[in-house]
Amino acid sequence: MARLILPSKSLAFSRKSFLGLISPAPLQVNCSVNYFRNTAKSSIRYRQFLASEAIFQKKCSPLYSSVPRFKQLSRRLNCSVATEDIPKQVEESNMEAPKEIFLKDYKKPDYYFDTVHLKFSLGEDKTIVSSKITVFPRTEGSSPPLVLDGQDLSLVSIHLNGKALKEEDYHLDARHLTILSPPSGKYDLEIVTEIQPQKNTSLEGLYKSSGNFCTQCEAEGFRKITFYQDRPDIMAKYTVHIEADKSLYPVLLSNGNLVEQGDLQDGKHYAVWEDPFKKPCYLFALVAGQLQSRDDTFVTRSGRKVSLRIWTPADDLPKTAHAMYSLKASMKWDEDVFGLEYDLDLFNIVAVPDFNMGAMENKSLNIFNSKLVLASPETATDADYAAILGVIGHEVRNYHVSGMLEIFPQLDGQQVMLVTCRDWFQLSLKEGLTVFRDQEFSSDMGSRTVKRIGDVSKLRNYQFPQDAGPMAHPVRPHSYIKGAEVVRMYKTLLGSEGFRKGIDLYFKRHDGQAVTCEDFYAAMRDANNADFANFLLWYSQAGTPTVKVKTSYNPEAHTFSLKFSQEIPTTPGQSVKEPMFIPVAVGLLDSSGKDIPLSAFNHDGTLESVSSKDQLVFTTVLRVTKKEEEFVFTDIFERPVPSLLRGYSAPIRLESDLTDDDLFFLLANDSDGFNRWEAGQILARKLMLNLVDDFQHDKPLVLNPNFVDGFKRILSNSSLDKEFVAKAITLPGEGEIMDIMEVADPDAVHAVRTFIRKQLASELRAEFLNIVENNRSSEEYVFNHQNLARRALKNVAIAYLASLEDQEFTNLALEEYKAATNLTEQLAALAAIAQNPGKSRDDVLADFYGKWQHDFLVVNKWFALQAMSDIPNNVENVRQLLNHPAFDLRNPNKVYSLIGGFCGSPVNFHAKDGSGYQFLGEIVLQLDKINPQVASRMVSAFSRWRRYDEDRQKLAKAQLEKIMSSNGLSENVFEIASKSLAA
């Protein structure tokens, strides 16, 4: 899929700290604005819109006044997608109000396509696209009208079997071209269209980015290239002829294999690409421009040599080494773990600075946002390195499951597999499987516990708020994050061996098919002869289940009981919910903190054994499938402390009767790393909520000494992984706390979190200073877990100390900033200094911009850091930054950095005077005329406006109503704004 992502592969910028930009340290989100990780499917009309993902956050404010204006900046800095000025006014659109279509409305196509021949004549003013499509009816002898999708196209001509059609033979409107009476058998349809990529600011279809042509077709971008049945269940073989000016566009790329190239008259040249395998049109890709490649090879397990090429502008080529390493590592991992071998002889990746997504897995020609390809120690953080590793791995794996080819030597010899999703309602199937495999790859390449923490944090801070808001939807159609959790539950229930059996059967059964979520479920069930009862409800019921657990111990019978009850909240369109199938991984700890061997438990009157003949069992998976049920463990000879939902075995909210003492015990002793972290987070959330209540009632804030002591023990435990410690000592984000409040109070939550941070910094000052001292290094930058973990812990410590607003610690951060040999540590020090307004902050921000003004990706971090500031009335500073010469409203990355970053400051975006809401409302309307996808992600920040107090509700509602009343509003923005208002 078109992959949107944030640093650190949890991958969201952090509101807990700016370290989300720096290292895979603690990540939080508290505002609903999509960033790099969402999907191009935002244009799909028939799905409930993807409401929110991740945004930037933190304390920093702009320094626009002290930054000199430059008369001219390099093209690489501006990354301008369009060659014309941003329009001040756009003509009203005549489009109809969007119509929502449901899964039950799915119908098979009346026609299929066999082959597609495309010819592109790329020009500076216009591009001519000629298509020749071989069409045949689904039912032989039938000839209903053929309806083709098309948008922003100028029709030049239509020929059917070589004969030009008259105007009365077809109907053309703003969205469709309909052939009224096509032949009843197989025929050739030739269509010539004219498009203007240089004016295409939506970044869908074919457009120009920094002088180069490129495409983005998922989900419905192909209809902006030529008239076509733009749906995923139409698969055909493509041959693509590209011709262009050779001096301007020396590189001509498309999917598949290069079969012919040569020179033409008038300084032009051409290239012909042929893809030997069928694919849906959303995987079509074309790139033309002045690019150079880093070349390498990968030898597959069967001995084939695959050519690997990463294309960028020449100046950026040195920054592609890590991307190439990531590509090769991912291809090998897929072979070793899943038996998947890349099937073509060429793999191209192109870095594009103007891209709505993070990356797109177009077959053999992956197009990536530059952010997810370019990296050097001086210009990329640990988080960027991790993101590149993960997203390149994601797209390689998405290649294998989203309509791509797979070789399974273990299945009937060397068999080629092709499976795609039948319709966009099945998006969570391919994306969920891909994200799960992506998570497993990143876990194997680093710390599995820390990766799991990051993934769960992302789920909670993105998916859970969406589940509780007007955009709530089931896993199907497009919840890829929760979809990955569903795939993980299969593996939890079946084990690694059983899961692999299910995967193999899935591809064996569905070779060459367009499939559904039910097909995947059936393969898992049948391959293991498993009873999954109501498991399919995960695909159809919206909302986050809440599971409550009550414990009891019987010392006479030596039994320990866990009583479960579950409830799924009402969501829009679903008021009645059935109990879900919830796997709960459980372990029991004795009084010394060690795991108790488990032998058996009683459930529904049956004694079920969990013991293994070969080894002791310390964790078992309970299958909770009813509204209420009980599991009673036998042979438990002392009251245990239960470790519930180990590894976060199901995407639920868990409530238990564990005491604070139990949680502190788990924090100190649990062998499950995730639950050890989770115990600390539960304690922190409880503490913060209690202090918020005190703050709202004007009571003095007092920090529980046990909490401070718990932090101290973690900091002093040298046996713990340093990256885990960095996660464990980071407080829950403000958004996470507001999400569990009945009425969200941004001011109170911010005040409490600031108070706790300062108290911890003050009382643990010596420990934090010791961490900084012991984790410095002047060695050359190396991206590996040991060094990444060291930097993450040191950076968190510096951030804590800087919160004290003491000149001593400002000087310490300044020293770290000046001594830093890599961007990870330099940006962390800058973020620490930027917490506090003053001359030091202004000077260091100006210095940083002066150093990096010609690197657009680093400048984006500079924008984000300032935009996320909690300094009062920061909206005015952000308004000034809109006019900065390095900012361009047409570039999604810059919008996400500055506008998305601003929405990440609760106290400014949710300012009581409504200034933050007004600012975003104005920006959304401007953006909607330029790039509706980006605008829709921005407007999603309003989606949970009813979570706040009455005054804020009125102010936010007013902006939504203003947006809805705008002439020519895009479908993308209309959908989110209308659903938000109706909530």
Side-chain angles (χ1 to χ4, degrees), residues 80-84 119-129 151-154 193-216 221-222 224-226 242-244 249 284 286-288 352 354 890 930-931:
S80 180
V81 61
T83 56
E84 298 183 350
K119 180 180 179 181
F120 290 83
S121 297
L122 304 175
E124 297 309 287
D125 298 322
K126 63 183 180 181
T127 290
I128 302 298
V129 182
Q151 186 176 345
D152 301 332
L153 305 174
S154 295
T193 58
E194 178 184 304
I195 57 177
Q196 295 180 302
Q198 69 277 9
K199 293 184 179 180
N200 182 4
T201 61
S202 71
L203 311 189
E204 293 181 280
L206 179 67
Y207 64 95
K208 292 192 79 172
S209 171
S210 296
N212 298 322
F213 286 96
C214 65
T215 58
Q216 168 56 35
F222 196 76
K224 289 191 171 187
I225 295 174
T226 188
I242 311 167
E243 58 183 50
Y249 312 103
F284 169 78
L286 179 152
V287 173
V352 178
D354 301 283
R890 293 166 295 194
I930 300 167
N931 188 324

Side-chain angles (χ1 to χ4, degrees), residues 283-297:
L283 292 171
F284 169 78
L286 179 152
V287 173
Q290 299 198 26
L291 303 165
Q292 291 187 15
S293 65
R294 175 184 292 274
D295 296 356
D296 207 331
T297 58

Side-chain angles (χ1 to χ4, degrees), residues 329-476:
S330 183
M331 293 175 80
K332 185 177 187 306
W333 184 88
D334 248 5
E335 289 188 351
D336 293 344
V337 177
F338 279 91
L340 304 182
E341 180 178 323
Y342 185 75
D343 64 291
L344 296 178
D345 297 327
L346 176 65
F347 197 124
N348 282 312
I349 287 177
V350 181
V352 178
D354 301 283
F355 204 58
N356 285 335
M357 309 305 141
M360 181 63 210
E361 79 277 8
N362 315 297
K363 185 179 177 187
S364 75
L365 180 55
N366 282 194
I367 299 178
F368 274 64
N369 193 306
S370 296
K371 177 180 180 61
L372 296 167
V373 172
L374 306 180
S376 70
E378 299 78 22
T379 62
T381 64
D382 284 340
D384 296 324
Y385 274 82
I388 291 168
L389 179 70
V391 175
I392 285 182
H394 176 95
E395 299 310 332
V396 170
R397 277 172 283 289
N398 218 346
Y399 170 89
H400 282 133
V401 299
S402 65
M404 297 294 91
L405 302 167
E406 315 206 13
I407 295 177
F408 285 76
Q410 77 279 12
L411 297 179
D412 301 330
Q414 289 277 336
Q415 184 174 3
V416 177
M417 296 288 173
L418 185 149
V419 180
T420 190
C421 50
R422 187 194 69 181
D423 53 74
W424 288 123
F425 285 98
Q426 316 304 325
L427 182 62
S428 62
L429 171 59
K430 79 178 185 76
E431 291 304 329
L433 179 55
T434 298
V435 171
F436 167 74
R437 292 164 65 202
D438 165 17
Q439 292 171 352
E440 290 296 288
F441 168 65
S442 295
S443 295
D444 286 346
M445 300 297 286
S447 166
R448 180 164 289 274
T449 294
V450 171
K451 181 67 177 71
R452 188 64 183 139
I453 290 170
D455 291 335
V456 173
S457 295
K458 184 179 182 70
L459 179 79
R460 287 173 172 170
N461 290 287
Y462 154 59
Q463 188 65 56
F464 283 9
Q466 190 179 90
D467 282 350
M471 312 308 293
H473 56 83
V475 167
R476 182 162 46 195

Side-chain angles (χ1 to χ4, degrees), residues 518-801:
E518 284 79 4
D519 294 324
F520 187 78
Y521 163 85
M524 288 289 165
R525 177 196 62 199
D526 297 347
N528 294 276
N529 193 27
D531 178 13
F532 285 159
N534 47 348
F535 193 88
L536 277 174
L537 287 173
W538 282 105
Y539 293 112
S540 59
Q541 285 194 165
T544 304
T546 296
V547 175
K548 297 181 180 180
V549 186
K550 291 185 178 181
T551 65
S552 63
Y553 178 65
N554 186 328
E556 288 79 22
H558 304 305
T559 59
F560 181 71
S561 167
L562 294 174
K563 291 184 179 179
F564 292 87
S565 62
Q566 61 168 294
E567 181 177 347
I568 302 91
T570 296
T571 55
Q574 288 188 333
S575 57
V576 178
K577 303 293 179 72
E578 297 296 323
M580 305 282 273
F581 188 117
I582 301 173
V584 180
V586 173
L588 304 178
L589 277 65
D590 64 21
S591 56
S592 68
K594 295 181 179 180
D595 285 310
I596 297 174
L598 304 178
S599 57
F601 61 82
N602 279 294
H603 177 236
D604 284 344
T606 302
L607 183 66
E608 300 185 21
S609 175
V610 299
S611 61
S612 170
K613 296 179 180 178
D614 301 327
Q615 58 187 11
L616 297 176
V617 174
F618 299 109
T619 301
T620 191
V621 178
L622 306 178
R623 299 185 173 200
V624 178
T625 61
K626 302 175 183 176
K627 186 173 179 59
E628 295 183 351
E629 54 192 318
E630 183 178 17
F631 299 82
V632 181
F633 288 89
T634 59
D635 299 325
I636 307 299
F637 297 100
E638 62 173 302
R639 183 181 185 89
V641 176
S643 174
L644 303 168
L645 206 67
R646 282 187 157 177
Y648 199 67
S649 57
I652 63 172
R653 295 184 189 271
L654 181 69
E655 299 177 7
S656 73
D657 58 3
L658 296 183
T659 65
D660 286 357
D661 287 341
D662 291 333
L663 293 169
F664 277 117
F665 183 82
L666 292 171
L667 177 62
N669 299 290
D670 202 333
S671 62
D672 184 84
F674 177 85
N675 269 12
R676 195 169 191 173
W677 170 81
E678 177 77 322
Q681 293 295 295
I682 295 172
L683 287 165
R685 288 194 291 268
K686 292 171 67 174
L687 171 69
M688 293 174 74
L689 287 170
N690 288 335
L691 288 177
V692 164
D693 186 68
D694 290 343
F695 180 88
Q696 291 173 329
H697 291 87
D698 296 323
K699 295 180 180 179
L701 300 182
V702 179
L703 189 59
N704 185 336
N706 290 334
F707 189 77
V708 179
D709 184 61
F711 261 56
K712 187 173 183 177
R713 288 202 302 269
I714 293 173
L715 291 173
S716 303
N717 189 339
S718 60
S719 67
L720 294 175
D721 174 76
K722 290 182 179 181
E723 192 180 10
F724 173 82
V725 174
K727 293 278 191 185
I729 65 173
T730 302
L731 298 172
E734 293 171 24
E736 186 177 347
I737 301 304
M738 288 192 292
D739 187 51
I740 54 180
M741 296 176 66
E742 186 173 344
V743 178
D745 187 339
D747 298 317
V749 173
H750 176 67
V752 164
R753 193 170 187 276
T754 300
F755 164 76
I756 296 174
R757 280 173 55 81
K758 288 185 175 182
Q759 284 296 110
L760 288 170
S762 178
E763 297 193 40
L764 301 174
R765 169 176 171 164
E767 284 79 8
F768 285 129
L769 281 170
N770 188 53
I771 286 173
V772 174
E773 180 65 30
N774 292 336
N775 288 281
R776 288 191 176 108
S777 175
S778 58
E779 296 180 2
E780 182 179 353
Y781 177 90
V782 177
F783 179 74
N784 59 27
H785 180 68
Q786 179 181 354
N787 284 287
L788 180 152
R790 172 186 60 78
R791 288 188 288 265
L793 182 56
K794 188 192 81 167
N795 292 341
V796 171
I798 290 173
Y800 266 107
L801 292 170

Side-chain angles (χ1 to χ4, degrees), residues 248-259:
L248 295 176
Y249 312 103
V251 175
L252 305 175
L253 303 173
S254 190
N255 311 81
N257 301 313
L258 179 63
V259 295

Side-chain angles (χ1 to χ4, degrees), residues 66-104:
S66 63
V67 176
R69 295 187 64 90
F70 294 90
K71 293 182 180 179
Q72 187 174 7
L73 293 176
S74 69
R75 183 175 66 182
R76 290 182 61 242
L77 173 62
N78 286 319
C79 304
S80 180
V81 61
T83 56
E84 298 183 350
D85 292 335
I86 299 173
K88 293 182 180 179
Q89 282 189 320
V90 177
E91 293 182 7
E92 289 188 24
S93 169
N94 294 322
M95 75 172 154
E96 304 170 359
K99 298 177 181 178
E100 191 169 14
I101 301 174
F102 300 92
L103 177 59
K104 62 182 175 60

